[in-house]
Amino acid sequence: MSLNSSPQTAMQSTEPPEDIPVAMRDTPVKPQAPSPYRLVWVVSGAIGAIALTILSVTLWILSHPPSPSPGANAGENPVAGSSGAIADPNTDPNTDPNTDPNTDPLDPSSTSAGTPDSSDPTTLLGHRPYAEAPPETLVPVLADGSLKLREAAARAWFALEEDAQKAGVSLMVLSAFRSHADQEYLFFEVKRQRGQDATTRAEVSAPPGYSEHHTGYALDIGDSSSPETYLNPDFENTAAFRWLKDNASFYGFELSFPPDNEQGISYEPWHWRFVGDQDSLETFYREDVAVPTVSPTP
């Protein structure tokens, strides 16, 4: 045994062996710089994918054109209404196959005359409703006071009658103001006596509450030299009717029911009405006529 030998050097180390030599362990490891070509390939690939997607979508759209909306004609853009919804062309009266092209809805004269308007809720069998004239507004037109008219209508009648007499025409008042009770008898009782249905009776006499005679502005006129024509269509052949036709409008009177009138009432050449002042004009021509209440006969 050598004196220089040490028991400690002869013992084996209990530490695990190191896998990395000391020389390499002490040398710092430098990270590898990324290749500049790698970024270029990544960007190029992304751009290519986007371009391919756009091209595919474009080709699909071109091969699948959108179909036109229902009800719209080809080459025509739908029209938006005031509410923002697309207007339905079927609601256009100019394209409605049920619309009569010969009828102007804004021109009442374009409708057929002579047929009662059954759709009007204010009429009854073609007759319009009228309220009774207040008794204090009526004045007699005969000496016995049996027939009366509104004061304005009576004054006009007296002037007309006087001028007709000067022309050699003798006029006579056959009927003037009539109450609801008077009209009830003329319509229902005469209808019963003659065995008429309501429509037939309404052609010559209005139901109570629907007669122009209630207003105090209407009157029936006859030619006193031809009594056989009283309340008869033959009255149109008399000198009295010819004079009235030429002159009545100068006094504010007009024929109520001419031939083929829009109410569908039988032609009555004897029935005239006064429309010579504001109240009488509104009575016969205003549109908002209220249906009067007819009190039952006691």
Side-chain angles (χ1 to χ4, degrees), residues 114-146:
T115 302
D117 183 5
S118 59
S119 64
D120 185 352
T122 64
T123 63
L124 179 62
L125 298 172
H127 294 272
R128 295 167 181 159
Y130 298 103
E132 280 190 15
E136 63 274 13
T137 64
L138 301 172
V139 297
V141 291
L142 292 182
D144 61 4
S146 58

Side-chain angles (χ1 to χ4, degrees), residues 30-294:
K30 294 183 180 180
Q32 273 189 332
S35 173
Y37 298 104
R38 182 180 179 184
L39 180 60
V40 172
W41 282 107
V42 172
V43 174
S44 299
I47 294 176
I50 294 173
L52 183 60
T53 301
I54 293 175
L55 179 61
S56 300
V57 172
T58 303
L59 292 175
W60 187 89
I61 292 175
L62 293 177
S63 62
H64 297 79
S67 58
S69 59
N73 294 328
E76 214 174 76
N77 292 327
V79 180
S82 59
S83 63
I86 296 176
D88 184 357
N90 294 327
T91 60
D92 185 351
N94 294 324
T95 60
D96 188 350
N98 296 322
T99 300
D100 184 355
N102 298 319
T103 301
D104 182 0
L106 300 180
D107 183 7
S109 65
S110 66
T111 59
S112 299
T115 302
D117 183 5
S118 59
S119 64
D120 185 352
T122 64
T123 63
L124 179 62
L125 298 172
H127 294 272
R128 295 167 181 159
Y130 298 103
E132 280 190 15
E136 63 274 13
T137 64
L138 301 172
V139 297
V141 291
L142 292 182
D144 61 4
S146 58
L147 298 179
K148 298 180 179 181
L149 288 173
R150 295 249 194 172
E151 186 174 353
R155 287 198 305 267
W157 163 254
F158 291 143
L160 181 151
E161 183 185 32
E162 182 179 357
D163 289 347
Q165 189 71 35
K166 292 177 182 178
V169 174
S170 180
L171 301 178
M172 174 175 289
V173 181
L174 303 177
S175 180
F177 167 78
R178 289 203 294 261
S179 67
H180 288 175
D182 294 334
Q183 199 68 27
E184 185 170 354
Y185 173 84
L186 289 175
F187 186 83
F188 290 108
E189 183 60 24
V190 175
K191 170 180 172 297
R192 184 190 63 79
Q193 292 174 3
R194 298 180 180 179
Q196 296 174 319
D197 58 40
T199 302
T200 301
R201 184 60 191 155
E203 292 176 356
V204 294
S205 184
Y210 293 81
S211 172
E212 289 189 353
H213 287 282
H214 295 329
T215 68
Y217 290 122
L219 70 166
D220 296 332
I221 303 173
D223 187 333
S224 60
S225 63
S226 302
E228 71 279 3
T229 64
Y230 288 172
L231 305 178
N232 189 298
D234 288 339
F235 175 67
E236 70 173 358
N237 299 320
T238 65
F241 178 78
R242 289 192 293 270
W243 192 91
L244 286 169
K245 188 176 180 181
D246 294 336
N247 298 280
S249 59
F250 292 105
Y251 304 87
F253 288 93
E254 67 180 15
L255 194 62
S256 292
F257 305 116
D260 300 321
N261 59 85
E262 63 179 10
Q263 291 179 246
I265 308 304
S266 295
Y267 172 43
E268 295 184 356
W270 62 87
H271 185 104
W272 297 75
R273 64 189 182 191
F274 177 73
V275 289
D277 64 6
Q278 185 71 24
D279 185 72
S280 60
L281 186 67
E282 290 183 357
T283 296
F284 295 112
Y285 283 101
R286 65 176 178 239
E287 297 295 332
D288 57 340
V289 179
V291 179
T293 301
V294 181

